[in-house]
């Protein structure tokens, strides 16, 4: 699946988008997998209360299932308007 | 309903004029523009968004407004990229047979757009840059709906 990062998550991780072959069942599992990769991921996902997630471009919870999902995006709380 | 996400500036006057034209069935048109505030020596406001999701999220918010109030039409324009103080970031317009629906729906659109549409603001100042943190008040504002 494609994993996208926006705003300070993009800056902290150092890239806007990457393709990840993961067997993670849920968003939380994916986060755990990413945290274990490298320090920059661990830093970006240190405080999940500051992170929001979208699954296939719809806002979702961290327990959302990932089966059949094509795109997951992580970003801080939105500040539009 | 029209949803526009663009980098370029928009002509607020022309958009309002076109939106309000030829609406004999709509007694009320409400328009709102958001402007970059030049607080504390702000040089620029950079706006990032999530192409593909942004348009869908805005359309969903506008659709929800149409189910809640009697609206004839909705317009949302939101910019991204680097904006200078005084530039218009975004606008919403609502048309309704009666003004209460037009006013209330415009407020609803603004409240949801601030916290549920994937935009992020970054402030540029002489001494550096900082991402704008979401305000609890903005999240709390959703509870009244």
């Amino acid at each position: 699946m494609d994993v996208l990062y926006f705003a300070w998550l993009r800056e902290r991780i150092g890239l806007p988008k990457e393709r990840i072959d993961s067997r993670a069942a849920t968003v939380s599992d994916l986060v755990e997998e990413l945290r274990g990769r490298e320090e920059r991921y661990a830093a970006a996902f240190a405080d999940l209360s500051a992170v929001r997630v979208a699954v296939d471009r719809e806002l979702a919870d961290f327990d959302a299932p990932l089966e059949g999902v094509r795109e997951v995006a992580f970003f801080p709380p939105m500040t539009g308007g | 309903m029209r949803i526009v996400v663009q980098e370029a500036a928009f002509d607020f006057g022309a958009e309002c004029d076109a939106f309000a034209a030829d609406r004999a069935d709509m007694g009320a048109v409400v328009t709102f523009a958001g402007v970059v505030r030049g607080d504390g020596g702000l040089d620029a406001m950079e706006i990032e968004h999530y192409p593909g999701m942004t348009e869908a999220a805005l359309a969903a918010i506008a659709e929800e407004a149409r189910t809640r109030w009697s609206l004839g039409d909705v317009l949302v324009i939101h910019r991204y990229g680097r904006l200078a103080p005084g530039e218009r970031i975004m606008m919403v317009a609502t048309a309704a047979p009666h003004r209460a629906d037009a006013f209330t729906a415009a407020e609803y659109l603004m409240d949801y757009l601030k916290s549920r549409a994937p935009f992020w603001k970054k402030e540029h100042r002489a001494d550096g840059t900082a991402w704008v943190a979401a305000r609890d008040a903005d999240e709390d504002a959703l509870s009244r709906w």
Side-chain angles (χ1 to χ4, degrees):
Chain A
M1 73 187 95
D2 288 326
V3 180
L4 284 68
Y5 310 102
F6 291 96
W8 59 257
L9 275 123
R10 171 178 53 73
E11 293 179 341
R12 210 161 287 181
I13 290 168
L15 76 177
K17 182 177 180 175
E18 61 185 324
R19 185 146 191 100
I20 292 181
D21 289 316
S22 169
R23 290 170 180 246
T26 66
V27 173
S28 289
D29 294 341
L30 177 62
V31 169
E32 276 314 306
E33 199 176 304
L34 292 169
R35 274 174 171 158
R37 279 181 150 194
E38 284 176 54
E39 176 52 33
R40 57 196 168 114
Y41 290 94
F45 290 108
D47 177 12
L48 285 191
S49 70
V51 178
R52 301 289 179 269
V53 60
V55 170
D56 282 341
R57 302 183 175 181
E58 289 209 15
L59 289 174
D61 294 321
F62 282 88
D63 58 5
L66 290 182
E67 191 178 349
V69 165
R70 288 184 297 182
E71 189 170 297
V72 177
F74 294 102
F75 42 78
M78 294 154 273
T79 53
Chain B
M1 185 171 91
R2 191 166 143 247
I3 307 291
V4 182
V5 181
Q6 65 181 30
E7 186 162 11
F10 58 89
D11 184 333
F12 184 56
E15 292 291 350
C16 291
D17 197 41
F19 186 81
D22 303 320
R23 295 202 185 274
D25 52 342
M26 295 292 132
V29 169
V30 165
T31 61
F32 170 89
V35 179
V36 178
R37 231 179 16 241
D39 288 353
L42 183 82
D43 290 328
M45 184 76 86
E46 185 184 339
I47 299 172
E48 180 171 332
H49 80 114
Y50 183 171
M53 179 176 167
T54 312
E55 295 80 356
L58 292 173
I61 292 166
E63 280 300 337
E64 177 63 23
R66 294 183 78 156
T67 67
R68 292 186 181 216
W69 294 281
S70 174
L71 296 175
D73 201 2
V74 175
L75 166 66
V76 179
I77 301 176
H78 203 302
R79 296 176 63 193
Y80 59 88
R82 193 181 170 100
L83 281 72
E87 281 195 70
R88 293 178 192 122
I89 303 177
M90 51 82 58
M91 68 168 288
V92 300
T94 54
H98 302 285
R99 74 174 186 276
D101 283 341
F103 272 122
T104 313
E107 276 209 278
Y108 171 90
L109 289 169
M110 284 310 305
D111 279 355
Y112 267 81
L113 189 152
K114 279 190 105 66
S115 304
R116 293 291 183 271
F119 290 101
W120 301 276
K121 292 197 189 96
K122 189 182 200 179
E123 295 175 340
H124 289 253
R125 298 177 197 278
D127 58 356
T129 62
W131 290 98
V132 174
R135 296 165 61 236
D136 289 341
D138 289 337
E139 191 64 31
D140 293 345
L142 301 187
S143 63
R144 66 178 167 137
W145 307 106

